[in-house]
């Protein structure tokens, strides 16, 4: 598996769920719920950010992406700017391997939620992959499950069913990280 160079194509489904398409673009996802998804994605990414920062403490692009996602959710940043900052975080990931790479991709995906709400699962999936990659080899699966379960506890209550259904629907294109 290529560990992220196809990140956008990997996590987005061929057939979009209209519940995860913003009202502005013809779906049924409200602006408020779109912003909650961005906050959840930022929380997932921040949970593993230290794995990137331990590898490259001088590169603030992933942290900036998480901050941009939160700023967008507060209405303090534009979508295009936030998406671009997410792209820079993913640029920080490209030369890396393992946990640091996945953590940077998670941050980039979190910022891209402003553009496409379905990037929320990209942020979550890459964070799970980061946690698993950081664990001892015999504990990778367990570490991934622990991260997934922690993330699920962070899902905003009114989005819980939607996110869990989406995880089930897209798990196969997200490296099966959401399966039990």
């Amino acid at each position: 598996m290529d560990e992220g160079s196809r990140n956008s194509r990997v996590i987005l489904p061929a057939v979009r769920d209209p519940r995860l398409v913003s009202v502005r673009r013809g779906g049924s996802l409200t602006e408020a719920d779109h912003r909650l998804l961005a906050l959840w994605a930022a929380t997932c990414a921040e949970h593993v950010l230290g794995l990137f920062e331990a590898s490259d403490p001088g590169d603030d692009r992933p942290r900036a992406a998480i901050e941009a996602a939160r700023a967008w959710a507060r209405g303090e940043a534009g979508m295009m700017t936030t998406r671009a900052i997410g792209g820079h975080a993913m640029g920080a990931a490209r030369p890396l391997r393992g946990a640091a790479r996945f953590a940077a991709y998670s941050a980039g995906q979190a910022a891209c939620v402003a553009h496409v709400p379905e990037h929320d699962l990209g942020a979550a999936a890459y964070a799970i992959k980061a946690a698993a990659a950081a664990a001892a080899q015999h504990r990778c699966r367990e570490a991934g499950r622990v991260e997934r379960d922690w993330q699920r506890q962070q899902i905003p209550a009114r989005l819980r069913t939607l996110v869990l259904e989406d995880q089930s629907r897209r798990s196969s294109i997200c490296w099966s990280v959401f399966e039990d």
Side-chain angles (χ1 to χ4, degrees), residues 91-105:
R94 288 185 186 104
L96 303 174
R97 293 285 173 256
R101 180 180 186 152
F102 298 137
Y105 273 129

Side-chain angles (χ1 to χ4, degrees), residues 17-144:
D17 181 339
R19 298 175 303 161
L20 287 162
V21 175
S22 69
V23 171
R24 273 178 314 189
R25 294 190 175 172
S28 60
L29 184 67
T30 66
E31 186 71 20
D33 286 348
H34 188 173
R35 292 179 188 281
L36 278 177
L37 281 176
L39 290 172
W40 177 68
T43 296
C44 292
E46 186 174 51
H47 198 238
V48 297
L49 180 61
L51 298 171
F52 172 82
E53 291 179 332
S55 172
D56 195 348
D59 190 340
D60 68 348
R61 291 178 289 176
R63 181 169 294 281
I66 293 167
E67 291 171 5
R70 289 190 172 127
W72 178 83
R74 292 189 304 266
E76 298 170 359
M79 180 275 292
M80 293 299 287
T81 300
T82 303
R83 182 179 80 168
I85 292 169
H88 294 305
M90 289 187 268
R94 288 185 186 104
L96 303 174
R97 293 285 173 256
R101 180 180 186 152
F102 298 137
Y105 273 129
S106 178
Q109 291 286 312
C112 289
V113 172
H115 180 244
V116 176
E118 289 167 310
H119 282 289
D120 69 319
L121 288 197
Y126 277 116
I128 291 167
K129 287 176 69 71
Q137 189 170 19
H138 67 284
R139 301 203 54 205
C140 291
R141 287 182 58 100
E142 177 186 346

Side-chain angles (χ1 to χ4, degrees), residues 64-65 77 84 115 134 152 162 178:
H115 180 244
R152 287 178 174 172
L162 176 62
F178 300 115

Side-chain angles (χ1 to χ4, degrees), residues 160-175:
R160 184 168 180 74
T161 299
L162 176 62
V163 171
L164 293 177
E165 286 175 2
D166 193 36
Q167 286 181 351
S168 178
R169 185 172 79 92
R170 289 199 284 153
S171 187
S172 65
I173 60 173
C174 292
W175 312 284

